[in-house]
Amino acid sequence: MTTLHTSTSHATSATLTEQPALEFVSCPHPQGQHRMAYWRWGDAQADHVVVCVHGLTRQGRDFDRLAQALVAQSPKPLQVICPDVAGRGRSEWLSEPALYQIPQYAADMLVMLGQVQAQLGADRPIQTLDWVGTSMGGLIGMVLAGQPGLPLPAPIHRLVLNDVGPAITWSSVQRMQGYVGQYGQYRDLDEAAAALWTLSQGFGPVSDGVWREMSTHMLRPGTNGQFTLHYDPAIGASIRAMTVEAAAAGEATLWALFDQIQAQTLLIRGQDSDLLTPETATEMTQRGPHAQLDTWPGFGHAPTLTGDDQIAVVAKFLLAV
């Protein structure tokens, strides 16, 4: 069923009053190992786990506001895990650019969830595992939820796909090919935030304060006292190498995975999205997990899930009894 998101209050004035714990996990890759960072909000001993995974050039602190709201609103103890996917944020960069692809990312998530389970202890299994994925994070979620034989500590119960599906428009791939990894240095946070915003118009309404807050986590020290972006430019290599034929083959694989998903699924679509078409979104409501579709006017690709009204939609879905 399609619902229309009509609230005009997109920004939140709430101030973050806590900080997440930063943890690391060692993940294997064909040439060795790399360290992946993840941010934990809430109770580390909670057996309800929500994993929030960011988009292609973003990082786990994008979910600060959503994570804190979920922890505050949950009727029982909750932990929210927000990884920095390999090559981004506090995670290590991979030595081989060709590894920056969904299979490696999904494998890393399995290792991370194994560590989360180990920290709970063998006598306290994860009871509920939910997933929120924006763009690339949603693709990773589909790969994990669509393969029942994977060694997840618990099946994914509820799945939020934020403006992404099995079919991705070729025009959006071309747009990504033009900017991913193509960045320089910035004098200060204001200059960096402005530059990032020129690439992020599809995110929809975001207040200046929230955007500045989000942008602080997108930077790392550069040279001569300047700043540069937090991610390995090589993450763009596999995107630029993609062809129409490869994209079509990947789409067929993702549809096959989508059809096997058993999780309750919420699909959020920015009405002006250039990545997720209305036709694909509708098809996702008619096959596989029969996703609940929520279409948001005034947004493109992809909503930040930072405004109070955006958070309310996700919280209602994830925290339903």
Side-chain angles (χ1 to χ4, degrees), residues 37-283:
Y38 60 95
W39 305 88
R40 185 201 305 273
W41 293 89
D43 184 351
Q45 292 302 303
D47 59 15
H48 183 184
V49 178
V50 178
V51 180
C52 297
V53 186
H54 58 79
L56 180 63
T57 64
R58 306 294 302 181
Q59 38 66 47
R61 297 301 297 271
D62 274 1
F63 295 103
D64 281 7
R65 289 175 176 270
L66 174 64
Q68 185 159 289
L70 290 174
V71 170
Q73 295 175 29
S74 178
K76 64 176 187 176
L78 175 71
Q79 57 175 313
V80 182
I81 304 294
C82 306
D84 289 345
V85 176
R88 289 90 166 168
R90 301 290 186 91
S91 292
E92 289 184 341
W93 294 6
L94 301 178
S95 58
E96 176 52 60
L99 293 176
Y100 285 125
Q101 297 195 57
I102 300 296
Q104 180 67 58
Y105 305 152
D108 291 353
M109 297 303 151
L110 290 175
V111 177
M112 178 191 73
L113 286 167
Q115 177 164 298
V116 172
Q117 175 59 79
Q119 290 170 336
L120 281 175
D123 59 342
R124 186 176 172 78
I126 292 173
Q127 295 296 317
T128 305
L129 176 62
D130 296 327
W131 191 280
V132 179
T134 293
S135 194
M136 179 188 74
L139 297 178
I140 299 169
M142 282 191 280
V143 167
L144 295 179
Q147 299 184 74
L150 290 179
L152 286 163
I156 294 177
H157 178 53
R158 292 189 175 98
L159 173 65
V160 179
L161 299 175
N162 184 15
D163 207 67
V164 69
I168 295 173
T169 63
W170 181 246
S171 61
S172 67
V173 173
Q174 291 177 307
R175 176 174 59 81
M176 289 185 282
Q177 288 175 331
Y179 80 84
V180 177
Q182 310 297 314
Y183 62 78
Q185 298 198 75
Y186 309 98
R187 291 189 303 271
D188 52 29
L189 174 59
D190 290 334
E191 184 178 58
L196 287 167
W197 184 246
T198 63
L199 298 172
S200 309
Q201 298 298 306
F203 286 4
V206 182
S207 73
D208 290 344
V210 170
W211 185 249
R212 183 181 174 86
E213 176 187 294
M214 294 176 69
S215 296
T216 61
H217 304 296
M218 294 291 292
L219 302 180
R220 60 185 173 88
T223 58
N224 300 320
Q226 295 191 317
F227 299 92
T228 189
L229 296 188
H230 68 95
Y231 68 85
D232 183 354
I235 69 170
S238 59
I239 301 296
R240 286 189 290 276
M242 188 176 293
T243 63
V244 174
E245 294 76 18
E251 178 180 328
T253 299
L254 284 169
W255 274 119
L257 291 168
F258 183 78
D259 286 338
Q260 296 187 86
I261 292 174
Q262 300 296 313
Q264 298 175 41
T265 302
L266 170 65
L267 175 62
I268 296 168
R269 179 178 182 271
Q271 191 173 59
D272 302 322
S273 176
D274 69 338
L275 185 140
L276 178 63
T277 67
E279 293 77 17
T280 295
T282 298
E283 188 170 357

Side-chain angles (χ1 to χ4, degrees), residues 77 88 155 241 273 287 298 304 312 319-320:
R88 289 90 166 168
S273 176
R287 58 190 285 187
T304 59
L319 302 179

